[in-house]
Amino acid sequence: MDEEEVLLSSRLLQGRRRLDVVLSGGALTWRDAEESSCQCGVGFSSFSSETAGCHSVQVCEIVSVQEGDGAHPSTTTRESEMVAKQHTKPDPHAFTVCYVRRSAHHRWLCCDITFSCPNQGLRQQWIQAISENLALLSHRPRCLLVYINPHGGRHLAKWIYDHKVAPLFCRAGISTDVIITEHANHARDHLRAQHGDLKKYDGVVCVGGDGMVNEILHGLVSRTQTDHGVDQNQPDAHLVPCSLRIGIIPAGSTDCICYTTMGTNDPVTSALHIIVGDSQPMDVCSVHNNNTFLKYSVSLLGYGFYGDVLTDSEKKRWMGPLRYDLAGVKTFLSHNYYEGSIWFVPAQETQGQPRDQEQCLAGCHVCQQGSYSEKKKLKHLSEDENEWCVVRGKFLAVNATTVSCACPRSPRGLSPSAHLADGTADLILVRKCSRFGFFRHLLRHTNADDQFDHPFVEVHRVRRFLFQPKNQEVSDSTKDLSDSEMEKRVKTNAFRPICHASDDITAQSNWTCDGEILPHAAIQVRVHGQLIRLFARGIENQ
């Protein structure tokens, strides 16, 4: 491997330690001067982070450089605190580098190291050299549009942004326009109304839960399609990918999308991924009823169990996040099942399979291969009817997800081997079974066992699918019911006796689409490969 050219090298001080510091085109490296002098024949350019006593930071993961001791409360480490205690008097020849350091459980920390130069001229040389290298990183955002949902999840979004995220953006020299959302779909509607005003931004950041992410998704995708004259009501329309990246600062109850793409729901980690300008493409599902567009989905489409859980939990919003636990227990005991038919186009040309135990990680080769095969496949999806497969039966749950749907409660998710950007979704069908069997299936979402290893569960990797309940006329007849009549009908079938399963297969469930209830049971779903990009890089292999 060729050694990178050394741009600058000096012997500097960190407190009372003498360090040999080297800046190359790709990394900033420092090590104890005593150790480097003891190794005869070892040049500066051969420093490695694997060498004992040597620290190396990639230039692309340096947040900022500034004069003096720039230690900030959000980036203070034990090491910097010790140095600060030793030198309380400001050093006129010091400069501070703020950089990313990896921690356990996929978390990133923002750390500072302060170097002291023998004179002011050398200090300016170092600051200028590092700043020029950072200026070459054109993929980094300089201006962001930030939406904060102060009412979502734990009601801490504003505090999280002000105390943990905004100081980091400031240190990185990122300017922001901040909007506090005042009502549901505020962010979505605001983005849809923007025309040329979005061109000045390098990305859109949402501070909130998965619902807030969904708003940003719909606003950006809809704005992009409108600008390019694409009719979203056409199920076979070729959607135009969004040019702006989306940043997610987790402040919700579950933060599934953030956890799935980063391996953690830590706000500082998310902010650092935004600062360094990471870019992770992501698939999006479009959901239609006949020729009417309903929603976009980037996490879970669920009919049956998960649809019933959400429907019931919506009546108990006053309980906060606890409502999901109560609704889940109630729905499990009800044990309702629903009859219907699913048509789907299997993704036969992809490398990955739903049960291959291969996790989607940063630099995933399956996603890289899937981006090409998805483009090749687009023109054939509606032409060859022989590609469609059909499954009919009675189902406790029909789920579809383009990602693993991992979260702290379910670290492996609903489909552990689902990929972020391979142009496919995993269609999970849970047929009618005993309560005990279904409980075993649900329990495996919380451990390492294969949740698909049951005779009543099947999973297919698909590019599109259609679902039709057995008695569609029942759904059509409910469209004209008043709210009171609809609520009465729902209550009639809401809670079955615990001693036996439901025998009413004419009833219909609701689809949950990323936490929102869809108005139709019969839907058409199509995966659009790499339609959006996030400020992320996928889960790093630790």
Side-chain angles (χ1 to χ4, degrees):
M1 180 177 177
D2 294 336
E3 296 180 350
E4 291 186 289
E5 179 185 359
V6 174
L7 302 178
L8 190 60
S9 63
S10 303
R11 179 158 293 183
L12 307 176
L13 293 177
Q14 185 207 14
R16 296 178 180 176
R17 295 171 58 198
R18 290 190 303 165
L19 302 176
D20 286 326
V21 186
V22 179
L23 175 66
S24 67
L28 175 69
T29 308
W30 63 92
R31 69 181 303 165
D32 289 332
E34 289 76 8
E35 293 185 10
S36 60
S37 62
C38 292
Q39 297 184 10
C40 180
V42 177
F44 284 124
S45 59
S46 64
F47 285 175
S48 168
S49 58
E50 298 178 359
T51 305
C54 175
H55 302 272
S56 184
V57 178
Q58 296 182 54
V59 171
C60 62
E61 293 183 359
I62 294 177
V63 175
S64 65
V65 59
Q66 61 189 74
E67 297 179 354
D69 181 2
H72 189 275
S74 64
T75 61
T76 301
T77 62
R78 290 183 180 179
E79 184 180 10
S80 60
E81 286 178 353
M82 292 177 60
V83 173
K85 289 179 180 180
Q86 296 173 0
H87 294 269
T88 56
K89 187 177 180 180
D91 186 347
H93 300 153
F95 69 94
T96 298
V97 176
C98 177
Y99 64 97
V100 171
R101 189 177 74 184
R102 285 162 177 77
S103 183
H105 308 298
H106 304 287
R107 291 195 172 203
W108 282 13
L109 304 177
C110 190
C111 301
D112 286 328
I113 183 167
T114 299
F115 300 105
S116 180
C117 302
N119 55 70
Q120 190 171 358
L122 184 59
R123 182 187 71 170
Q124 290 305 119
Q125 269 188 276
W126 273 101
I127 293 176
Q128 182 178 348
I130 296 175
S131 298
E132 288 176 352
N133 270 263
L134 294 180
L136 296 175
L137 304 176
S138 58
H139 58 279
R140 288 197 173 192
R142 305 300 179 195
C143 184
L144 296 171
L145 177 60
V146 180
Y147 293 96
I148 301 176
N149 177 13
H151 306 295
R154 297 160 289 174
H155 302 275
L156 293 174
K158 183 79 165 57
W159 185 92
I160 288 174
Y161 180 79
D162 290 341
H163 291 82
K164 294 190 174 184
V165 178
L168 294 177
F169 284 174
C170 181
R171 293 199 69 179
I174 297 176
S175 61
T176 57
D177 289 336
V178 179
I179 297 176
I180 309 295
T181 59
E182 299 175 355
H183 53 80
N185 295 320
H186 183 174
R188 182 200 68 182
D189 296 341
H190 184 266
L191 283 169
R192 283 179 175 176
Q194 304 300 305
H195 294 281
D197 296 339
L198 291 177
K199 293 181 179 179
K200 67 178 181 179
Y201 299 112
D202 301 308
V204 179
V205 175
C206 60
V207 187
D210 291 330
M212 192 63 176
V213 178
N214 195 266
E215 279 196 44
I216 301 299
L217 165 72
H218 280 80
L220 269 185
V221 174
S222 297
R223 181 70 262 162
T224 302
Q225 308 320 309
T226 300
D227 291 342
H228 289 82
V230 177
D231 184 1
Q232 297 176 85
N233 287 318
Q234 297 300 319
D236 291 326
H238 178 58
L239 301 186
V240 179
C242 301
S243 58
L244 290 179
R245 285 170 287 178
I246 299 173
I248 304 172
I249 304 297
S253 304
T254 306
D255 301 312
C256 166
I257 301 172
C258 183
Y259 195 94
T260 297
T261 55
M262 297 184 189
T264 181
N265 55 354
D266 173 53
V268 171
T269 302
S270 297
L272 292 173
H273 278 285
I274 295 171
I275 289 171
V276 302
D278 280 339
S279 182
Q280 171 63 51
M282 195 171 183
D283 299 334
V284 176
C285 286
S286 61
V287 185
H288 290 77
N289 173 261
N290 294 324
N291 287 325
T292 302
F293 168 73
L294 300 179
K295 288 284 184 182
Y296 292 114
S297 171
V298 289
S299 56
L300 174 65
L301 274 164
Y303 182 84
F305 179 76
Y306 289 106
D308 292 350
V309 168
L310 183 65
T311 301
D312 188 67
S313 68
E314 285 298 297
K315 307 169 190 174
K316 305 175 177 65
R317 294 190 68 88
W318 57 271
M319 296 181 64
L322 184 62
R323 68 186 186 271
Y324 298 114
D325 296 329
L326 180 61
V329 172
K330 182 178 176 182
T331 303
F332 172 78
L333 294 177
S334 299
H335 202 61
N336 292 326
Y337 63 90
Y338 306 92
E339 190 166 6
S341 301
I342 303 103
W343 288 265
F344 61 90
V345 177
Q348 298 175 346
E349 73 290 349
T350 58
Q351 292 185 5
Q353 295 299 326
R355 298 184 64 182
D356 61 13
Q357 301 298 316
E358 183 175 355
Q359 186 182 12
C360 184
L361 300 173
C364 175
H365 69 94
V366 174
C367 292
Q368 293 174 356
Q369 182 265 348
S371 64
Y372 297 105
S373 58
E374 195 272 342
K375 293 177 182 177
K376 182 179 178 182
K377 193 72 177 175
L378 275 175
K379 55 186 178 183
H380 301 299
L381 284 178
S382 60
E383 297 175 1
D384 191 353
E385 295 182 357
N386 295 326
E387 293 182 352
W388 290 88
C389 302
V390 61
V391 176
R392 297 182 174 90
K394 304 170 184 177
F395 304 98
L396 286 170
V398 178
N399 303 319
T401 177
T402 58
V403 298
S404 68
C405 284
C407 65
R409 284 192 172 188
S410 179
R412 299 180 73 240
L414 292 179
S415 186
S417 297
H419 290 269
L420 297 174
D422 65 343
T424 70
D426 285 352
L427 180 63
I428 306 167
L429 309 177
V430 183
R431 294 181 181 272
K432 179 184 176 183
C433 63
S434 67
R435 278 193 182 86
F436 180 68
F438 189 50
F439 176 75
R440 290 177 61 216
H441 168 66
L442 294 177
L443 186 62
R444 291 187 178 185
H445 289 86
T446 64
N447 56 41
D449 295 333
D450 184 2
Q451 59 260 57
F452 304 136
D453 189 19
H454 298 285
F456 53 85
V457 178
E458 56 185 281
V459 57
H460 306 275
R461 185 149 290 176
V462 304
R463 294 205 177 274
R464 67 190 308 176
F465 72 91
L466 289 80
F467 176 80
Q468 184 81 15
K470 181 182 179 182
N471 295 298
Q472 179 61 49
E473 65 274 7
V474 175
S475 177
D476 291 339
S477 66
T478 62
K479 288 189 291 186
D480 298 325
L481 292 179
S482 65
D483 292 341
S484 59
E485 291 173 324
M486 178 66 76
E487 184 176 357
K488 182 178 180 181
R489 182 170 296 192
V490 171
K491 286 183 177 179
T492 303
N493 298 314
F495 194 70
R496 300 283 175 181
I498 297 176
C499 59
H500 63 82
S502 168
D503 292 322
D504 183 8
I505 60 176
T506 62
Q508 290 189 11
S509 177
N510 293 308
W511 280 96
T512 170
C513 177
D514 292 6
E516 294 191 24
I517 297 173
L518 297 182
H520 300 278
I523 61 172
Q524 309 165 52
V525 179
R526 176 180 163 192
V527 184
H528 301 267
Q530 305 189 5
L531 189 65
I532 62 173
R533 290 181 298 149
L534 304 183
F535 283 108
R537 63 175 61 175
I539 298 175
E540 293 183 307
N541 191 352
Q542 293 188 328

